[in-house]
Amino acid sequence: MRSWPELSIPELSSGFALPALSLYNTASAQVEELAKKKIYRMYVCGITPYDATHLGHAATYLTFDLINRYLRATGSEVLFVQNITDIDDPLLERAQRDGISWSELAESQINLFRGDMADLHVLPPSDYVGVVEAIPLVITAIEKLQIAQTTYQVEEDLYFRIHSDPEFGTRSHYTNSQMLEIFAQRGGDPQRAGKENPFDALLWLAQREGEPGWPSPFGIGRPGWHIECCAIALNYLKPDPRDDFAIDIQGGGSDLIFPHHEMSAAQSRIIGDQRFARMYVHGGMIGLDGEKMSKSLGNLVFVSALIQQGVEPTAIRWALMGHRYSEDLMWSDSLMSTASEEVERLRLNLARMEVAPTTPVIENLIAALSKNLDTPEVLDVLRRWMLDTESGVVGGEAGELGRALDSLLGFSL
Ligand code: ZN
């Protein structure tokens, strides 16, 4: 599927040394250093295109954009793949509610998402892949699971025996009762009669009346949610067989820890030759004015609406960077207006003839990013530089700082 336009990133001067990036790995429950490599493989789960692009999406994709930019700045190549779940239950439900075709709804939301990502200066993935176009890959992946005798049928549908992976549960660390509760909340079917284990994952759903279906050796139907991501990741990220892991980073919001990432990893373990991801990195959830931001509450804040109101995309990045990516954030109008003011102040300072020293600012900014993306510290570094500049300290080069902010933070100033 077409991605959004590539952005040119100014190069950092070779005078800046970038330490290895450390990130919080959900699987180990620790902040770990990502060893330096020539090529990193990163897979970030994409949207189901029916409510693009709210601030929760923006926060997630900003986080992985900062990781992408940092790793690239170290001189490495980053293979970055993202999917779009362009066929799934929520999409069909929304299309039916609104009386439009599911494919039209998906197309319009994908277009909106592309535009929002381009506006937010998020670097596009090397491959942006829809599930519908990936159905042949999904079929091949399911056939590998069948050969490994890890599948079974419940009526006309096909399931994966999740405990075929001896490491099932080790990436998400929930108790059995937590997993049962969350699985049911997030599209799972633990109670379905005929399943061998409540957690077994749906691989192929036989066509239901009034729903679309695609031909396959398992009958006409459509893929389950988890199989799509591992099929796409293992194909497009071309794992190196000499590596212990198929990919380096599996990313998404914290609501994907279970079941989605646990189940994708379990399936990938059987389909591929290696364990799936070296690190599982998750962004927090975004709330609004003290409440959870959700479709059901109808309080989603959309990126396109903010931009239409005249908010500049860099200010949205700044506002989201005010908290650590892994923590939940409570959004408010005042957070947005303060961010807009600070970005304007930064722009004015960068336009001055004389500015405070910039090399140590860039060094501190790199150091903060390297420590599990300490973006609140990044903003504090910039606030201190603005104060120094405003109080007449000189000796810096605004152009050098502007390039670093563009390259590492995606700021367009
Ligand atoms: Zn996914």
Side-chain angles (χ1 to χ4, degrees), residues 259-273:
H260 187 49
H261 287 173
E262 189 66 62
M263 294 193 174
S264 295
Q267 292 167 348
S268 298
R269 184 78 199 272
I270 310 293
I271 297 163
D273 302 319

mmCIF file with all atom_site columns, all heavy atoms in Angstrom, residues 259-273:
data_model
loop_
_atom_site.group_PDB
_atom_site.id
_atom_site.type_symbol
_atom_site.label_atom_id
_atom_site.label_alt_id
_atom_site.label_comp_id
_atom_site.label_asym_id
_atom_site.label_entity_id
_atom_site.label_seq_id
_atom_site.pdbx_PDB_ins_code
_atom_site.Cartn_x
_atom_site.Cartn_y
_atom_site.Cartn_z
_atom_site.occupancy
_atom_site.B_iso_or_equiv
_atom_site.pdbx_formal_charge
_atom_site.auth_seq_id
_atom_site.auth_comp_id
_atom_site.auth_asym_id
_atom_site.auth_atom_id
_atom_site.pdbx_PDB_model_num
ATOM 1   N N   . PRO A 1 259 ? -4.007 -9.193  24.164 1.00 0.00 ? 259 PRO A N   1
ATOM 2   C CA  . PRO A 1 259 ? -3.424 -10.419 23.619 1.00 0.00 ? 259 PRO A CA  1
ATOM 3   C C   . PRO A 1 259 ? -2.533 -10.224 22.401 1.00 0.00 ? 259 PRO A C   1
ATOM 4   O O   . PRO A 1 259 ? -1.794 -11.123 22.035 1.00 0.00 ? 259 PRO A O   1
ATOM 5   C CB  . PRO A 1 259 ? -4.673 -11.201 23.203 1.00 0.00 ? 259 PRO A CB  1
ATOM 6   C CG  . PRO A 1 259 ? -5.661 -10.130 22.806 1.00 0.00 ? 259 PRO A CG  1
ATOM 7   C CD  . PRO A 1 259 ? -5.406 -8.980  23.735 1.00 0.00 ? 259 PRO A CD  1
ATOM 8   N N   . HIS A 1 260 ? -2.619 -9.045  21.750 1.00 0.00 ? 260 HIS A N   1
ATOM 9   C CA  . HIS A 1 260 ? -2.092 -8.960  20.388 1.00 0.00 ? 260 HIS A CA  1
ATOM 10  C C   . HIS A 1 260 ? -0.606 -9.309  20.269 1.00 0.00 ? 260 HIS A C   1
ATOM 11  O O   . HIS A 1 260 ? -0.228 -10.172 19.469 1.00 0.00 ? 260 HIS A O   1
ATOM 12  C CB  . HIS A 1 260 ? -2.375 -7.571  19.811 1.00 0.00 ? 260 HIS A CB  1
ATOM 13  C CG  . HIS A 1 260 ? -2.031 -7.445  18.362 1.00 0.00 ? 260 HIS A CG  1
ATOM 14  N ND1 . HIS A 1 260 ? -2.445 -8.354  17.432 1.00 0.00 ? 260 HIS A ND1 1
ATOM 15  C CD2 . HIS A 1 260 ? -1.275 -6.533  17.692 1.00 0.00 ? 260 HIS A CD2 1
ATOM 16  C CE1 . HIS A 1 260 ? -1.976 -8.004  16.238 1.00 0.00 ? 260 HIS A CE1 1
ATOM 17  N NE2 . HIS A 1 260 ? -1.254 -6.901  16.376 1.00 0.00 ? 260 HIS A NE2 1
ATOM 18  N N   . HIS A 1 261 ? 0.233  -8.649  21.045 1.00 0.00 ? 261 HIS A N   1
ATOM 19  C CA  . HIS A 1 261 ? 1.675  -8.903  20.868 1.00 0.00 ? 261 HIS A CA  1
ATOM 20  C C   . HIS A 1 261 ? 2.091  -10.265 21.412 1.00 0.00 ? 261 HIS A C   1
ATOM 21  O O   . HIS A 1 261 ? 2.978  -10.914 20.848 1.00 0.00 ? 261 HIS A O   1
ATOM 22  C CB  . HIS A 1 261 ? 2.489  -7.770  21.504 1.00 0.00 ? 261 HIS A CB  1
ATOM 23  C CG  . HIS A 1 261 ? 2.422  -6.509  20.691 1.00 0.00 ? 261 HIS A CG  1
ATOM 24  N ND1 . HIS A 1 261 ? 2.937  -5.313  21.101 1.00 0.00 ? 261 HIS A ND1 1
ATOM 25  C CD2 . HIS A 1 261 ? 1.869  -6.266  19.475 1.00 0.00 ? 261 HIS A CD2 1
ATOM 26  C CE1 . HIS A 1 261 ? 2.718  -4.393  20.177 1.00 0.00 ? 261 HIS A CE1 1
ATOM 27  N NE2 . HIS A 1 261 ? 2.059  -4.955  19.187 1.00 0.00 ? 261 HIS A NE2 1
ATOM 28  N N   . GLU A 1 262 ? 1.461  -10.691 22.472 1.00 0.00 ? 262 GLU A N   1
ATOM 29  C CA  . GLU A 1 262 ? 1.777  -12.022 23.017 1.00 0.00 ? 262 GLU A CA  1
ATOM 30  C C   . GLU A 1 262 ? 1.444  -13.096 21.971 1.00 0.00 ? 262 GLU A C   1
ATOM 31  O O   . GLU A 1 262 ? 2.239  -14.002 21.715 1.00 0.00 ? 262 GLU A O   1
ATOM 32  C CB  . GLU A 1 262 ? 0.958  -12.238 24.294 1.00 0.00 ? 262 GLU A CB  1
ATOM 33  C CG  . GLU A 1 262 ? 1.319  -13.468 25.077 1.00 0.00 ? 262 GLU A CG  1
ATOM 34  C CD  . GLU A 1 262 ? 2.728  -13.419 25.663 1.00 0.00 ? 262 GLU A CD  1
ATOM 35  O OE1 . GLU A 1 262 ? 3.009  -12.538 26.470 1.00 0.00 ? 262 GLU A OE1 1
ATOM 36  O OE2 . GLU A 1 262 ? 3.542  -14.280 25.291 1.00 0.00 ? 262 GLU A OE2 1
ATOM 37  N N   . MET A 1 263 ? 0.289  -12.965 21.363 1.00 0.00 ? 263 MET A N   1
ATOM 38  C CA  . MET A 1 263 ? -0.165 -13.996 20.425 1.00 0.00 ? 263 MET A CA  1
ATOM 39  C C   . MET A 1 263 ? 0.587  -13.936 19.096 1.00 0.00 ? 263 MET A C   1
ATOM 40  O O   . MET A 1 263 ? 0.895  -14.963 18.507 1.00 0.00 ? 263 MET A O   1
ATOM 41  C CB  . MET A 1 263 ? -1.669 -13.890 20.229 1.00 0.00 ? 263 MET A CB  1
ATOM 42  C CG  . MET A 1 263 ? -2.376 -14.222 21.542 1.00 0.00 ? 263 MET A CG  1
ATOM 43  S SD  . MET A 1 263 ? -4.115 -14.495 21.393 1.00 0.00 ? 263 MET A SD  1
ATOM 44  C CE  . MET A 1 263 ? -4.519 -15.010 23.079 1.00 0.00 ? 263 MET A CE  1
ATOM 45  N N   . SER A 1 264 ? 0.876  -12.712 18.642 1.00 0.00 ? 264 SER A N   1
ATOM 46  C CA  . SER A 1 264 ? 1.682  -12.595 17.413 1.00 0.00 ? 264 SER A CA  1
ATOM 47  C C   . SER A 1 264 ? 3.044  -13.231 17.631 1.00 0.00 ? 264 SER A C   1
ATOM 48  O O   . SER A 1 264 ? 3.570  -13.932 16.762 1.00 0.00 ? 264 SER A O   1
ATOM 49  C CB  . SER A 1 264 ? 1.907  -11.126 17.039 1.00 0.00 ? 264 SER A CB  1
ATOM 50  O OG  . SER A 1 264 ? 0.698  -10.519 16.724 1.00 0.00 ? 264 SER A OG  1
ATOM 51  N N   . ALA A 1 265 ? 3.627  -12.987 18.817 1.00 0.00 ? 265 ALA A N   1
ATOM 52  C CA  . ALA A 1 265 ? 4.955  -13.524 19.103 1.00 0.00 ? 265 ALA A CA  1
ATOM 53  C C   . ALA A 1 265 ? 4.926  -15.050 19.169 1.00 0.00 ? 265 ALA A C   1
ATOM 54  O O   . ALA A 1 265 ? 5.825  -15.726 18.665 1.00 0.00 ? 265 ALA A O   1
ATOM 55  C CB  . ALA A 1 265 ? 5.471  -12.947 20.417 1.00 0.00 ? 265 ALA A CB  1
ATOM 56  N N   . ALA A 1 266 ? 3.859  -15.586 19.772 1.00 0.00 ? 266 ALA A N   1
ATOM 57  C CA  . ALA A 1 266 ? 3.749  -17.050 19.890 1.00 0.00 ? 266 ALA A CA  1
ATOM 58  C C   . ALA A 1 266 ? 3.649  -17.685 18.503 1.00 0.00 ? 266 ALA A C   1
ATOM 59  O O   . ALA A 1 266 ? 4.325  -18.683 18.203 1.00 0.00 ? 266 ALA A O   1
ATOM 60  C CB  . ALA A 1 266 ? 2.525  -17.402 20.729 1.00 0.00 ? 266 ALA A CB  1
ATOM 61  N N   . GLN A 1 267 ? 2.837  -17.082 17.641 1.00 0.00 ? 267 GLN A N   1
ATOM 62  C CA  . GLN A 1 267 ? 2.684  -17.629 16.291 1.00 0.00 ? 267 GLN A CA  1
ATOM 63  C C   . GLN A 1 267 ? 3.979  -17.494 15.491 1.00 0.00 ? 267 GLN A C   1
ATOM 64  O O   . GLN A 1 267 ? 4.391  -18.422 14.789 1.00 0.00 ? 267 GLN A O   1
ATOM 65  C CB  . GLN A 1 267 ? 1.530  -16.914 15.571 1.00 0.00 ? 267 GLN A CB  1
ATOM 66  C CG  . GLN A 1 267 ? 0.190  -17.251 16.195 1.00 0.00 ? 267 GLN A CG  1
ATOM 67  C CD  . GLN A 1 267 ? -0.930 -16.337 15.728 1.00 0.00 ? 267 GLN A CD  1
ATOM 68  O OE1 . GLN A 1 267 ? -0.703 -15.307 15.101 1.00 0.00 ? 267 GLN A OE1 1
ATOM 69  N NE2 . GLN A 1 267 ? -2.149 -16.712 16.055 1.00 0.00 ? 267 GLN A NE2 1
ATOM 70  N N   . SER A 1 268 ? 4.623  -16.338 15.634 1.00 0.00 ? 268 SER A N   1
ATOM 71  C CA  . SER A 1 268 ? 5.873  -16.096 14.898 1.00 0.00 ? 268 SER A CA  1
ATOM 72  C C   . SER A 1 268 ? 6.939  -17.111 15.285 1.00 0.00 ? 268 SER A C   1
ATOM 73  O O   . SER A 1 268 ? 7.744  -17.533 14.466 1.00 0.00 ? 268 SER A O   1
ATOM 74  C CB  . SER A 1 268 ? 6.419  -14.709 15.205 1.00 0.00 ? 268 SER A CB  1
ATOM 75  O OG  . SER A 1 268 ? 5.515  -13.755 14.793 1.00 0.00 ? 268 SER A OG  1
ATOM 76  N N   . ARG A 1 269 ? 6.942  -17.472 16.548 1.00 0.00 ? 269 ARG A N   1
ATOM 77  C CA  . ARG A 1 269 ? 7.930  -18.439 17.048 1.00 0.00 ? 269 ARG A CA  1
ATOM 78  C C   . ARG A 1 269 ? 7.822  -19.760 16.292 1.00 0.00 ? 269 ARG A C   1
ATOM 79  O O   . ARG A 1 269 ? 8.827  -20.424 16.030 1.00 0.00 ? 269 ARG A O   1
ATOM 80  C CB  . ARG A 1 269 ? 7.662  -18.657 18.541 1.00 0.00 ? 269 ARG A CB  1
ATOM 81  C CG  . ARG A 1 269 ? 8.624  -19.540 19.235 1.00 0.00 ? 269 ARG A CG  1
ATOM 82  C CD  . ARG A 1 269 ? 9.894  -18.764 19.530 1.00 0.00 ? 269 ARG A CD  1
ATOM 83  N NE  . ARG A 1 269 ? 11.006 -19.667 19.802 1.00 0.00 ? 269 ARG A NE  1
ATOM 84  C CZ  . ARG A 1 269 ? 11.296 -20.156 20.989 1.00 0.00 ? 269 ARG A CZ  1
ATOM 85  N NH1 . ARG A 1 269 ? 10.568 -19.831 22.022 1.00 0.00 ? 269 ARG A NH1 1
ATOM 86  N NH2 . ARG A 1 269 ? 12.322 -20.963 21.141 1.00 0.00 ? 269 ARG A NH2 1
ATOM 87  N N   . ILE A 1 270 ? 6.598  -20.149 15.937 1.00 0.00 ? 270 ILE A N   1
ATOM 88  C CA  . ILE A 1 270 ? 6.389  -21.423 15.220 1.00 0.00 ? 270 ILE A CA  1
ATOM 89  C C   . ILE A 1 270 ? 6.642  -21.227 13.721 1.00 0.00 ? 270 ILE A C   1
ATOM 90  O O   . ILE A 1 270 ? 7.242  -22.072 13.064 1.00 0.00 ? 270 ILE A O   1
ATOM 91  C CB  . ILE A 1 270 ? 4.939  -21.938 15.438 1.00 0.00 ? 270 ILE A CB  1
ATOM 92  C CG1 . ILE A 1 270 ? 4.569  -21.935 16.931 1.00 0.00 ? 270 ILE A CG1 1
ATOM 93  C CG2 . ILE A 1 270 ? 4.753  -23.315 14.795 1.00 0.00 ? 270 ILE A CG2 1
ATOM 94  C CD1 . ILE A 1 270 ? 5.324  -22.902 17.812 1.00 0.00 ? 270 ILE A CD1 1
ATOM 95  N N   . ILE A 1 271 ? 6.211  -20.084 13.183 1.00 0.00 ? 271 ILE A N   1
ATOM 96  C CA  . ILE A 1 271 ? 6.330  -19.847 11.736 1.00 0.00 ? 271 ILE A CA  1
ATOM 97  C C   . ILE A 1 271 ? 7.780  -19.574 11.337 1.00 0.00 ? 271 ILE A C   1
ATOM 98  O O   . ILE A 1 271 ? 8.274  -20.072 10.334 1.00 0.00 ? 271 ILE A O   1
ATOM 99  C CB  . ILE A 1 271 ? 5.457  -18.630 11.316 1.00 0.00 ? 271 ILE A CB  1
ATOM 100 C CG1 . ILE A 1 271 ? 3.991  -18.926 11.584 1.00 0.00 ? 271 ILE A CG1 1
ATOM 101 C CG2 . ILE A 1 271 ? 5.676  -18.280 9.849  1.00 0.00 ? 271 ILE A CG2 1
ATOM 102 C CD1 . ILE A 1 271 ? 3.120  -17.677 11.608 1.00 0.00 ? 271 ILE A CD1 1
ATOM 103 N N   . GLY A 1 272 ? 8.464  -18.756 12.148 1.00 0.00 ? 272 GLY A N   1
ATOM 104 C CA  . GLY A 1 272 ? 9.826  -18.353 11.806 1.00 0.00 ? 272 GLY A CA  1
ATOM 105 C C   . GLY A 1 272 ? 10.851 -19.299 12.406 1.00 0.00 ? 272 GLY A C   1
ATOM 106 O O   . GLY A 1 272 ? 10.517 -20.338 12.978 1.00 0.00 ? 272 GLY A O   1
ATOM 107 N N   . ASP A 1 273 ? 12.104 -18.917 12.270 1.00 0.00 ? 273 ASP A N   1
ATOM 108 C CA  . ASP A 1 273 ? 13.180 -19.774 12.759 1.00 0.00 ? 273 ASP A CA  1
ATOM 109 C C   . ASP A 1 273 ? 13.736 -19.274 14.086 1.00 0.00 ? 273 ASP A C   1
ATOM 110 O O   . ASP A 1 273 ? 14.640 -19.885 14.640 1.00 0.00 ? 273 ASP A O   1
ATOM 111 C CB  . ASP A 1 273 ? 14.319 -19.803 11.724 1.00 0.00 ? 273 ASP A CB  1
ATOM 112 C CG  . ASP A 1 273 ? 13.816 -20.304 10.389 1.00 0.00 ? 273 ASP A CG  1
ATOM 113 O OD1 . ASP A 1 273 ? 13.026 -21.265 10.395 1.00 0.00 ? 273 ASP A OD1 1
ATOM 114 O OD2 . ASP A 1 273 ? 14.184 -19.713 9.354  1.00 0.00 ? 273 ASP A OD2 1
#
